[in-house]
mmCIF file of all heavy atoms in Angstrom:
data_model
loop_
_atom_site.group_PDB
_atom_site.id
_atom_site.type_symbol
_atom_site.label_atom_id
_atom_site.label_comp_id
_atom_site.label_asym_id
_atom_site.label_seq_id
_atom_site.Cartn_x
_atom_site.Cartn_y
_atom_site.Cartn_z
ATOM 1 N N ARG A 28 11.062 -23.548 2.154
ATOM 2 C CA ARG A 28 10.101 -24.524 2.672
ATOM 3 C C ARG A 28 10.305 -24.751 4.165
ATOM 4 O O ARG A 28 9.340 -24.831 4.924
ATOM 5 C CB ARG A 28 10.236 -25.840 1.919
ATOM 6 C CG ARG A 28 9.724 -25.757 0.514
ATOM 7 C CD ARG A 28 9.973 -27.021 -0.264
ATOM 8 N NE ARG A 28 9.413 -26.880 -1.607
ATOM 9 C CZ ARG A 28 9.698 -27.688 -2.605
ATOM 10 N NH1 ARG A 28 10.528 -28.707 -2.434
ATOM 11 N NH2 ARG A 28 9.161 -27.489 -3.790
ATOM 12 N N ALA A 29 11.553 -24.845 4.589
ATOM 13 C CA ALA A 29 11.838 -25.032 6.013
ATOM 14 C C ALA A 29 11.377 -23.813 6.811
ATOM 15 O O ALA A 29 10.861 -23.950 7.925
ATOM 16 C CB ALA A 29 13.334 -25.281 6.224
ATOM 17 N N PHE A 30 11.557 -22.631 6.252
ATOM 18 C CA PHE A 30 11.131 -21.409 6.923
ATOM 19 C C PHE A 30 9.615 -21.379 7.089
ATOM 20 O O PHE A 30 9.112 -21.018 8.153
ATOM 21 C CB PHE A 30 11.604 -20.176 6.145
ATOM 22 C CG PHE A 30 11.218 -18.883 6.786
ATOM 23 C CD1 PHE A 30 11.938 -18.386 7.858
ATOM 24 C CD2 PHE A 30 10.132 -18.153 6.331
ATOM 25 C CE1 PHE A 30 11.582 -17.187 8.470
ATOM 26 C CE2 PHE A 30 9.759 -16.959 6.925
ATOM 27 C CZ PHE A 30 10.492 -16.475 8.000
ATOM 28 N N LEU A 31 8.878 -21.748 6.045
ATOM 29 C CA LEU A 31 7.417 -21.789 6.137
ATOM 30 C C LEU A 31 6.977 -22.746 7.242
ATOM 31 O O LEU A 31 6.089 -22.425 8.036
ATOM 32 C CB LEU A 31 6.800 -22.201 4.798
ATOM 33 C CG LEU A 31 6.957 -21.222 3.639
ATOM 34 C CD1 LEU A 31 6.357 -21.808 2.363
ATOM 35 C CD2 LEU A 31 6.346 -19.877 3.968
ATOM 36 N N ARG A 32 7.592 -23.916 7.303
ATOM 37 C CA ARG A 32 7.244 -24.900 8.338
ATOM 38 C C ARG A 32 7.571 -24.360 9.733
ATOM 39 O O ARG A 32 6.784 -24.498 10.662
ATOM 40 C CB ARG A 32 7.971 -26.218 8.079
ATOM 41 C CG ARG A 32 7.490 -26.934 6.826
ATOM 42 C CD ARG A 32 8.374 -28.110 6.463
ATOM 43 N NE ARG A 32 8.366 -29.137 7.477
ATOM 44 C CZ ARG A 32 7.466 -30.115 7.556
ATOM 45 N NH1 ARG A 32 6.489 -30.179 6.680
ATOM 46 N NH2 ARG A 32 7.539 -31.010 8.521
ATOM 47 N N TYR A 33 8.729 -23.738 9.866
ATOM 48 C CA TYR A 33 9.113 -23.153 11.151
ATOM 49 C C TYR A 33 8.072 -22.125 11.589
ATOM 50 O O TYR A 33 7.627 -22.114 12.735
ATOM 51 C CB TYR A 33 10.492 -22.495 11.037
ATOM 52 C CG TYR A 33 10.928 -21.813 12.313
ATOM 53 C CD1 TYR A 33 11.717 -22.487 13.241
ATOM 54 C CD2 TYR A 33 10.549 -20.505 12.611
ATOM 55 C CE1 TYR A 33 12.112 -21.874 14.422
ATOM 56 C CE2 TYR A 33 10.926 -19.889 13.786
ATOM 57 C CZ TYR A 33 11.710 -20.578 14.694
ATOM 58 O OH TYR A 33 12.083 -19.973 15.864
ATOM 59 N N CYS A 34 7.689 -21.253 10.674
ATOM 60 C CA CYS A 34 6.723 -20.199 11.000
ATOM 61 C C CYS A 34 5.349 -20.774 11.336
ATOM 62 O O CYS A 34 4.663 -20.244 12.216
ATOM 63 C CB CYS A 34 6.620 -19.205 9.851
ATOM 64 S SG CYS A 34 8.053 -18.115 9.733
ATOM 65 N N LEU A 35 4.942 -21.838 10.663
ATOM 66 C CA LEU A 35 3.658 -22.462 10.994
ATOM 67 C C LEU A 35 3.692 -23.030 12.410
ATOM 68 O O LEU A 35 2.758 -22.828 13.193
ATOM 69 C CB LEU A 35 3.318 -23.561 9.985
ATOM 70 C CG LEU A 35 2.880 -23.079 8.602
ATOM 71 C CD1 LEU A 35 2.811 -24.255 7.636
ATOM 72 C CD2 LEU A 35 1.544 -22.343 8.670
ATOM 73 N N VAL A 36 4.751 -23.728 12.753
ATOM 74 C CA VAL A 36 4.876 -24.320 14.091
ATOM 75 C C VAL A 36 4.882 -23.251 15.168
ATOM 76 O O VAL A 36 4.251 -23.398 16.216
ATOM 77 C CB VAL A 36 6.151 -25.199 14.181
ATOM 78 C CG1 VAL A 36 6.462 -25.585 15.625
ATOM 79 C CG2 VAL A 36 6.006 -26.443 13.312
ATOM 80 N N HIS A 37 5.566 -22.152 14.901
ATOM 81 C CA HIS A 37 5.713 -21.092 15.905
ATOM 82 C C HIS A 37 4.686 -19.968 15.765
ATOM 83 O O HIS A 37 4.811 -18.934 16.425
ATOM 84 C CB HIS A 37 7.138 -20.516 15.850
ATOM 85 C CG HIS A 37 8.153 -21.500 16.304
ATOM 86 N ND1 HIS A 37 8.795 -22.369 15.436
ATOM 87 C CD2 HIS A 37 8.616 -21.805 17.538
ATOM 88 C CE1 HIS A 37 9.624 -23.136 16.123
ATOM 89 N NE2 HIS A 37 9.529 -22.812 17.395
ATOM 90 N N ARG A 38 3.709 -20.188 14.909
ATOM 91 C CA ARG A 38 2.614 -19.225 14.701
ATOM 92 C C ARG A 38 3.127 -17.832 14.357
ATOM 93 O O ARG A 38 2.675 -16.820 14.898
ATOM 94 C CB ARG A 38 1.700 -19.191 15.923
ATOM 95 C CG ARG A 38 1.075 -20.551 16.178
ATOM 96 C CD ARG A 38 0.258 -20.598 17.403
ATOM 97 N NE ARG A 38 -0.235 -21.988 17.560
ATOM 98 C CZ ARG A 38 -1.198 -22.323 18.373
ATOM 99 N NH1 ARG A 38 -1.786 -21.434 19.114
ATOM 100 N NH2 ARG A 38 -1.571 -23.578 18.447
ATOM 101 N N GLN A 39 4.083 -17.800 13.432
ATOM 102 C CA GLN A 39 4.710 -16.540 13.035
ATOM 103 C C GLN A 39 4.601 -16.247 11.549
ATOM 104 O O GLN A 39 5.186 -15.280 11.064
ATOM 105 C CB GLN A 39 6.207 -16.568 13.394
ATOM 106 C CG GLN A 39 6.511 -16.669 14.842
ATOM 107 C CD GLN A 39 8.012 -16.782 15.090
ATOM 108 O OE1 GLN A 39 8.815 -16.874 14.163
ATOM 109 N NE2 GLN A 39 8.396 -16.780 16.349
ATOM 110 N N LEU A 40 3.855 -17.078 10.810
ATOM 111 C CA LEU A 40 3.845 -16.921 9.356
ATOM 112 C C LEU A 40 3.257 -15.583 8.924
ATOM 113 O O LEU A 40 3.863 -14.851 8.143
ATOM 114 C CB LEU A 40 3.089 -18.080 8.694
ATOM 115 C CG LEU A 40 3.099 -18.065 7.177
ATOM 116 C CD1 LEU A 40 4.525 -18.129 6.634
ATOM 117 C CD2 LEU A 40 2.279 -19.216 6.634
ATOM 118 N N ALA A 41 2.089 -15.248 9.407
ATOM 119 C CA ALA A 41 1.439 -14.000 8.984
ATOM 120 C C ALA A 41 2.275 -12.784 9.378
ATOM 121 O O ALA A 41 2.493 -11.882 8.562
ATOM 122 C CB ALA A 41 0.040 -13.912 9.591
ATOM 123 N N GLU A 42 2.743 -12.776 10.602
ATOM 124 C CA GLU A 42 3.532 -11.627 11.068
ATOM 125 C C GLU A 42 4.824 -11.486 10.258
ATOM 126 O O GLU A 42 5.194 -10.382 9.850
ATOM 127 C CB GLU A 42 3.876 -11.782 12.548
ATOM 128 C CG GLU A 42 4.714 -10.654 13.085
ATOM 129 C CD GLU A 42 5.196 -10.892 14.512
ATOM 130 O OE1 GLU A 42 4.760 -11.862 15.156
ATOM 131 O OE2 GLU A 42 6.020 -10.095 14.968
ATOM 132 N N SER A 43 5.493 -12.606 10.010
ATOM 133 C CA SER A 43 6.751 -12.566 9.257
ATOM 134 C C SER A 43 6.522 -12.078 7.840
ATOM 135 O O SER A 43 7.268 -11.225 7.340
ATOM 136 C CB SER A 43 7.390 -13.959 9.228
ATOM 137 O OG SER A 43 7.677 -14.387 10.541
ATOM 138 N N LEU A 44 5.494 -12.597 7.188
ATOM 139 C CA LEU A 44 5.211 -12.164 5.831
ATOM 140 C C LEU A 44 4.769 -10.702 5.797
ATOM 141 O O LEU A 44 5.173 -9.938 4.915
ATOM 142 C CB LEU A 44 4.143 -13.057 5.192
ATOM 143 C CG LEU A 44 3.918 -12.844 3.705
ATOM 144 C CD1 LEU A 44 5.209 -12.999 2.906
ATOM 145 C CD2 LEU A 44 2.869 -13.795 3.183
ATOM 146 N N GLN A 45 3.993 -10.295 6.769
ATOM 147 C CA GLN A 45 3.552 -8.904 6.819
ATOM 148 C C GLN A 45 4.751 -7.955 6.926
ATOM 149 O O GLN A 45 4.777 -6.912 6.277
ATOM 150 C CB GLN A 45 2.599 -8.678 7.986
ATOM 151 C CG GLN A 45 2.023 -7.277 8.005
ATOM 152 C CD GLN A 45 0.942 -7.099 9.047
ATOM 153 O OE1 GLN A 45 0.836 -7.872 9.989
ATOM 154 N NE2 GLN A 45 0.132 -6.075 8.881
ATOM 155 N N LEU A 46 5.740 -8.324 7.708
ATOM 156 C CA LEU A 46 6.939 -7.492 7.822
ATOM 157 C C LEU A 46 7.627 -7.340 6.470
ATOM 158 O O LEU A 46 8.139 -6.273 6.139
ATOM 159 C CB LEU A 46 7.912 -8.092 8.850
ATOM 160 C CG LEU A 46 7.483 -7.988 10.304
ATOM 161 C CD1 LEU A 46 8.405 -8.810 11.192
ATOM 162 C CD2 LEU A 46 7.453 -6.539 10.758
ATOM 163 N N CYS A 47 7.621 -8.405 5.670
ATOM 164 C CA CYS A 47 8.245 -8.351 4.344
ATOM 165 C C CYS A 47 7.433 -7.522 3.366
ATOM 166 O O CYS A 47 7.985 -6.947 2.431
ATOM 167 C CB CYS A 47 8.400 -9.763 3.781
ATOM 168 S SG CYS A 47 9.530 -10.789 4.718
ATOM 169 N N LEU A 48 6.130 -7.489 3.568
ATOM 170 C CA LEU A 48 5.243 -6.812 2.620
ATOM 171 C C LEU A 48 5.042 -5.329 2.926
ATOM 172 O O LEU A 48 4.363 -4.632 2.179
ATOM 173 C CB LEU A 48 3.885 -7.517 2.593
ATOM 174 C CG LEU A 48 3.911 -8.983 2.169
ATOM 175 C CD1 LEU A 48 2.510 -9.576 2.244
ATOM 176 C CD2 LEU A 48 4.507 -9.157 0.790
ATOM 177 N N LEU A 49 5.625 -4.833 3.998
ATOM 178 C CA LEU A 49 5.447 -3.434 4.381
ATOM 179 C C LEU A 49 6.203 -2.452 3.490
ATOM 180 O O LEU A 49 5.825 -1.296 3.385
ATOM 181 C CB LEU A 49 5.890 -3.223 5.838
ATOM 182 C CG LEU A 49 4.978 -3.806 6.901
ATOM 183 C CD1 LEU A 49 5.620 -3.686 8.278
ATOM 184 C CD2 LEU A 49 3.621 -3.127 6.880
ATOM 185 N N ASP A 50 7.261 -2.910 2.860
ATOM 186 C CA ASP A 50 8.120 -2.019 2.084
ATOM 187 C C ASP A 50 7.805 -2.135 0.592
ATOM 188 O O ASP A 50 8.175 -3.121 -0.049
ATOM 189 C CB ASP A 50 9.581 -2.381 2.342
ATOM 190 C CG ASP A 50 10.548 -1.363 1.782
ATOM 191 O OD1 ASP A 50 10.193 -0.658 0.812
ATOM 192 O OD2 ASP A 50 11.672 -1.276 2.303
ATOM 193 N N PRO A 51 7.120 -1.137 0.013
ATOM 194 C CA PRO A 51 6.761 -1.211 -1.410
ATOM 195 C C PRO A 51 7.974 -1.291 -2.341
ATOM 196 O O PRO A 51 7.903 -1.879 -3.402
ATOM 197 C CB PRO A 51 5.969 0.066 -1.667
ATOM 198 C CG PRO A 51 5.857 0.787 -0.378
ATOM 199 C CD PRO A 51 6.653 0.072 0.660
ATOM 200 N N GLU A 52 9.091 -0.693 -1.928
ATOM 201 C CA GLU A 52 10.308 -0.756 -2.748
ATOM 202 C C GLU A 52 10.795 -2.188 -2.902
ATOM 203 O O GLU A 52 11.149 -2.616 -3.996
ATOM 204 C CB GLU A 52 11.423 0.083 -2.114
ATOM 205 C CG GLU A 52 11.378 1.534 -2.466
ATOM 206 C CD GLU A 52 12.581 2.276 -1.891
ATOM 207 O OE1 GLU A 52 13.708 1.757 -2.010
ATOM 208 O OE2 GLU A 52 12.369 3.355 -1.332
ATOM 209 N N ILE A 53 10.832 -2.917 -1.798
ATOM 210 C CA ILE A 53 11.270 -4.317 -1.856
ATOM 211 C C ILE A 53 10.298 -5.130 -2.697
ATOM 212 O O ILE A 53 10.720 -5.971 -3.498
ATOM 213 C CB ILE A 53 11.404 -4.923 -0.441
ATOM 214 C CG1 ILE A 53 12.578 -4.284 0.298
ATOM 215 C CG2 ILE A 53 11.598 -6.432 -0.507
ATOM 216 C CD1 ILE A 53 12.772 -4.781 1.703
ATOM 217 N N LEU A 54 9.009 -4.884 -2.531
ATOM 218 C CA LEU A 54 8.013 -5.631 -3.310
ATOM 219 C C LEU A 54 8.225 -5.414 -4.809
ATOM 220 O O LEU A 54 8.211 -6.369 -5.588
ATOM 221 C CB LEU A 54 6.600 -5.212 -2.915
ATOM 222 C CG LEU A 54 6.111 -5.719 -1.567
ATOM 223 C CD1 LEU A 54 4.749 -5.126 -1.254
ATOM 224 C CD2 LEU A 54 6.059 -7.233 -1.561
ATOM 225 N N ARG A 55 8.416 -4.183 -5.225
ATOM 226 C CA ARG A 55 8.616 -3.896 -6.655
ATOM 227 C C ARG A 55 9.955 -4.434 -7.148
ATOM 228 O O ARG A 55 10.106 -4.771 -8.318
ATOM 229 C CB ARG A 55 8.494 -2.402 -6.918
ATOM 230 C CG ARG A 55 7.048 -1.906 -6.887
ATOM 231 C CD ARG A 55 6.917 -0.483 -7.395
ATOM 232 N NE ARG A 55 7.681 0.485 -6.625
ATOM 233 C CZ ARG A 55 7.230 1.086 -5.511
ATOM 234 N NH1 ARG A 55 6.027 0.832 -5.066
ATOM 235 N NH2 ARG A 55 7.979 1.956 -4.871
ATOM 236 N N GLU A 56 10.929 -4.496 -6.248
ATOM 237 C CA GLU A 56 12.237 -5.035 -6.614
ATOM 238 C C GLU A 56 12.155 -6.543 -6.893
ATOM 239 O O GLU A 56 12.851 -7.064 -7.751
ATOM 240 C CB GLU A 56 13.227 -4.767 -5.479
ATOM 241 C CG GLU A 56 14.606 -5.319 -5.706
ATOM 242 C CD GLU A 56 15.512 -5.109 -4.493
ATOM 243 O OE1 GLU A 56 15.301 -4.152 -3.725
ATOM 244 O OE2 GLU A 56 16.426 -5.929 -4.325
ATOM 245 N N TRP A 57 11.286 -7.240 -6.157
ATOM 246 C CA TRP A 57 11.215 -8.705 -6.249
ATOM 247 C C TRP A 57 10.065 -9.238 -7.092
ATOM 248 O O TRP A 57 10.129 -10.381 -7.555
ATOM 249 C CB TRP A 57 11.129 -9.299 -4.846
ATOM 250 C CG TRP A 57 12.446 -9.309 -4.161
ATOM 251 C CD1 TRP A 57 12.983 -8.326 -3.393
ATOM 252 C CD2 TRP A 57 13.426 -10.346 -4.204
ATOM 253 N NE1 TRP A 57 14.229 -8.691 -2.947
ATOM 254 C CE2 TRP A 57 14.514 -9.932 -3.432
ATOM 255 C CE3 TRP A 57 13.471 -11.599 -4.817
ATOM 256 C CZ2 TRP A 57 15.650 -10.714 -3.259
ATOM 257 C CZ3 TRP A 57 14.600 -12.382 -4.643
ATOM 258 C CH2 TRP A 57 15.677 -11.942 -3.870
ATOM 259 N N TYR A 58 8.985 -8.460 -7.265
ATOM 260 C CA TYR A 58 7.789 -8.978 -7.936
ATOM 261 C C TYR A 58 7.367 -8.084 -9.100
ATOM 262 O O TYR A 58 7.482 -6.866 -9.041
ATOM 263 C CB TYR A 58 6.623 -9.079 -6.941
ATOM 264 C CG TYR A 58 6.802 -10.221 -5.968
ATOM 265 C CD1 TYR A 58 7.362 -10.008 -4.708
ATOM 266 C CD2 TYR A 58 6.424 -11.518 -6.308
ATOM 267 C CE1 TYR A 58 7.543 -11.059 -3.823
ATOM 268 C CE2 TYR A 58 6.593 -12.571 -5.431
ATOM 269 C CZ TYR A 58 7.163 -12.344 -4.191
ATOM 270 O OH TYR A 58 7.354 -13.384 -3.326
ATOM 271 N N TYR A 59 6.846 -8.758 -10.127
ATOM 272 C CA TYR A 59 6.241 -8.046 -11.258
ATOM 273 C C TYR A 59 4.837 -7.604 -10.868
ATOM 274 O O TYR A 59 4.295 -8.005 -9.836
ATOM 275 C CB TYR A 59 6.184 -8.946 -12.497
ATOM 276 C CG TYR A 59 7.533 -9.239 -13.095
ATOM 277 C CD1 TYR A 59 8.078 -10.523 -13.034
ATOM 278 C CD2 TYR A 59 8.273 -8.251 -13.738
ATOM 279 C CE1 TYR A 59 9.319 -10.805 -13.585
ATOM 280 C CE2 TYR A 59 9.517 -8.526 -14.294
ATOM 281 C CZ TYR A 59 10.030 -9.801 -14.215
ATOM 282 O OH TYR A 59 11.258 -10.079 -14.758
ATOM 283 N N ALA A 60 4.211 -6.820 -11.750
ATOM 284 C CA ALA A 60 2.943 -6.147 -11.447
ATOM 285 C C ALA A 60 1.773 -7.091 -11.168
ATOM 286 O O ALA A 60 0.836 -6.717 -10.464
ATOM 287 C CB ALA A 60 2.573 -5.209 -12.596
ATOM 288 N N ARG A 61 1.777 -8.315 -11.696
ATOM 289 C CA ARG A 61 0.642 -9.222 -11.477
ATOM 290 C C ARG A 61 0.634 -9.865 -10.098
ATOM 291 O O ARG A 61 -0.329 -10.521 -9.721
ATOM 292 C CB ARG A 61 0.623 -10.332 -12.539
ATOM 293 C CG ARG A 61 0.354 -9.833 -13.935
ATOM 294 C CD ARG A 61 0.263 -10.970 -14.933
ATOM 295 N NE ARG A 61 1.305 -11.963 -14.743
ATOM 296 C CZ ARG A 61 1.154 -13.267 -14.954
ATOM 297 N NH1 ARG A 61 0.018 -13.744 -15.382
ATOM 298 N NH2 ARG A 61 2.157 -14.100 -14.743
ATOM 299 N N SER A 62 1.680 -9.706 -9.335
ATOM 300 C CA SER A 62 1.745 -10.320 -8.011
ATOM 301 C C SER A 62 0.636 -9.776 -7.109
ATOM 302 O O SER A 62 0.423 -8.566 -7.030
ATOM 303 C CB SER A 62 3.091 -10.028 -7.351
ATOM 304 O OG SER A 62 3.067 -10.436 -5.992
ATOM 305 N N PRO A 63 -0.068 -10.676 -6.418
ATOM 306 C CA PRO A 63 -1.105 -10.199 -5.493
ATOM 307 C C PRO A 63 -0.532 -9.374 -4.339
ATOM 308 O O PRO A 63 -1.257 -8.599 -3.728
ATOM 309 C CB PRO A 63 -1.767 -11.484 -4.997
ATOM 310 C CG PRO A 63 -0.815 -12.572 -5.320
ATOM 311 C CD PRO A 63 0.016 -12.115 -6.464
ATOM 312 N N PHE A 64 0.742 -9.506 -4.082
ATOM 313 C CA PHE A 64 1.359 -8.733 -3.001
ATOM 314 C C PHE A 64 1.412 -7.243 -3.329
ATOM 315 O O PHE A 64 1.530 -6.413 -2.434
ATOM 316 C CB PHE A 64 2.764 -9.236 -2.694
ATOM 317 C CG PHE A 64 2.805 -10.644 -2.184
ATOM 318 C CD1 PHE A 64 3.775 -11.524 -2.624
ATOM 319 C CD2 PHE A 64 1.882 -11.101 -1.251
ATOM 320 C CE1 PHE A 64 3.825 -12.819 -2.142
ATOM 321 C CE2 PHE A 64 1.922 -12.404 -0.772
ATOM 322 C CZ PHE A 64 2.899 -13.262 -1.225
ATOM 323 N N LEU A 65 1.356 -6.890 -4.599
ATOM 324 C CA LEU A 65 1.402 -5.481 -4.998
ATOM 325 C C LEU A 65 0.031 -4.812 -4.957
ATOM 326 O O LEU A 65 -0.063 -3.594 -5.079
ATOM 327 C CB LEU A 65 2.027 -5.345 -6.387
ATOM 328 C CG LEU A 65 3.512 -5.725 -6.446
ATOM 329 C CD1 LEU A 65 4.015 -5.706 -7.868
ATOM 330 C CD2 LEU A 65 4.346 -4.809 -5.574
ATOM 331 N N SER A 66 -1.017 -5.591 -4.760
ATOM 332 C CA SER A 66 -2.370 -5.049 -4.624
ATOM 333 C C SER A 66 -2.701 -4.940 -3.134
ATOM 334 O O SER A 66 -2.741 -5.963 -2.438
ATOM 335 C CB SER A 66 -3.375 -5.979 -5.307
ATOM 336 O OG SER A 66 -4.681 -5.733 -4.842
ATOM 337 N N PRO A 67 -2.951 -3.732 -2.625
ATOM 338 C CA PRO A 67 -3.259 -3.590 -1.191
ATOM 339 C C PRO A 67 -4.443 -4.450 -0.740
ATOM 340 O O PRO A 67 -4.404 -5.034 0.339
ATOM 341 C CB PRO A 67 -3.565 -2.099 -1.038
ATOM 342 C CG PRO A 67 -2.841 -1.451 -2.161
ATOM 343 C CD PRO A 67 -2.878 -2.434 -3.299
ATOM 344 N N GLN A 68 -5.450 -4.565 -1.580
ATOM 345 C CA GLN A 68 -6.625 -5.372 -1.209
ATOM 346 C C GLN A 68 -6.274 -6.856 -1.139
ATOM 347 O O GLN A 68 -6.615 -7.531 -0.167
ATOM 348 C CB GLN A 68 -7.758 -5.157 -2.221
ATOM 349 C CG GLN A 68 -9.002 -5.963 -1.888
ATOM 350 C CD GLN A 68 -10.101 -5.776 -2.931
ATOM 351 O OE1 GLN A 68 -10.031 -4.884 -3.763
ATOM 352 N NE2 GLN A 68 -11.101 -6.622 -2.867
ATOM 353 N N ARG A 69 -5.603 -7.359 -2.152
ATOM 354 C CA ARG A 69 -5.209 -8.783 -2.159
ATOM 355 C C ARG A 69 -4.242 -9.093 -1.012
ATOM 356 O O ARG A 69 -4.333 -10.120 -0.374
ATOM 357 C CB ARG A 69 -4.562 -9.156 -3.499
ATOM 358 C CG ARG A 69 -5.490 -9.080 -4.650
ATOM 359 C CD ARG A 69 -6.352 -10.332 -4.706
ATOM 360 N NE ARG A 69 -7.245 -10.238 -5.830
ATOM 361 C CZ ARG A 69 -8.562 -10.236 -5.722
ATOM 362 N NH1 ARG A 69 -9.118 -10.331 -4.552
ATOM 363 N NH2 ARG A 69 -9.316 -10.141 -6.782
ATOM 364 N N ARG A 70 -3.319 -8.177 -0.802
ATOM 365 C CA ARG A 70 -2.343 -8.362 0.276
ATOM 366 C C ARG A 70 -3.058 -8.472 1.619
ATOM 367 O O ARG A 70 -2.763 -9.349 2.433
ATOM 368 C CB ARG A 70 -1.354 -7.186 0.257
ATOM 369 C CG ARG A 70 -0.191 -7.353 1.174
ATOM 370 C CD ARG A 70 0.897 -6.317 0.930
ATOM 371 N NE ARG A 70 0.424 -4.938 1.009
ATOM 372 C CZ ARG A 70 0.530 -4.050 0.021
ATOM 373 N NH1 ARG A 70 1.089 -4.367 -1.127
ATOM 374 N NH2 ARG A 70 0.080 -2.816 0.178
ATOM 375 N N ALA A 71 -4.038 -7.619 1.852
ATOM 376 C CA ALA A 71 -4.804 -7.659 3.104
ATOM 377 C C ALA A 71 -5.586 -8.956 3.228
ATOM 378 O O ALA A 71 -5.657 -9.550 4.322
ATOM 379 C CB ALA A 71 -5.743 -6.455 3.182
ATOM 380 N N GLU A 72 -6.163 -9.432 2.131
ATOM 381 C CA GLU A 72 -6.901 -10.700 2.152
ATOM 382 C C GLU A 72 -5.978 -11.864 2.489
ATOM 383 O O GLU A 72 -6.328 -12.725 3.310
ATOM 384 C CB GLU A 72 -7.573 -10.950 0.797
ATOM 385 C CG GLU A 72 -8.714 -10.014 0.489
ATOM 386 C CD GLU A 72 -9.202 -10.139 -0.956
ATOM 387 O OE1 GLU A 72 -8.634 -10.935 -1.744
ATOM 388 O OE2 GLU A 72 -10.165 -9.425 -1.289
#
């Protein structure tokens, strides 16, 4: 929660999350198949 607030204040939320979402291996390691992060279209939205 503190990280989200920090990123909102510093206008870094989208960029920070995008960096985390670039690696499909990490995404599959952390999320099950229903996660919107595993769908390229949902992730882009």
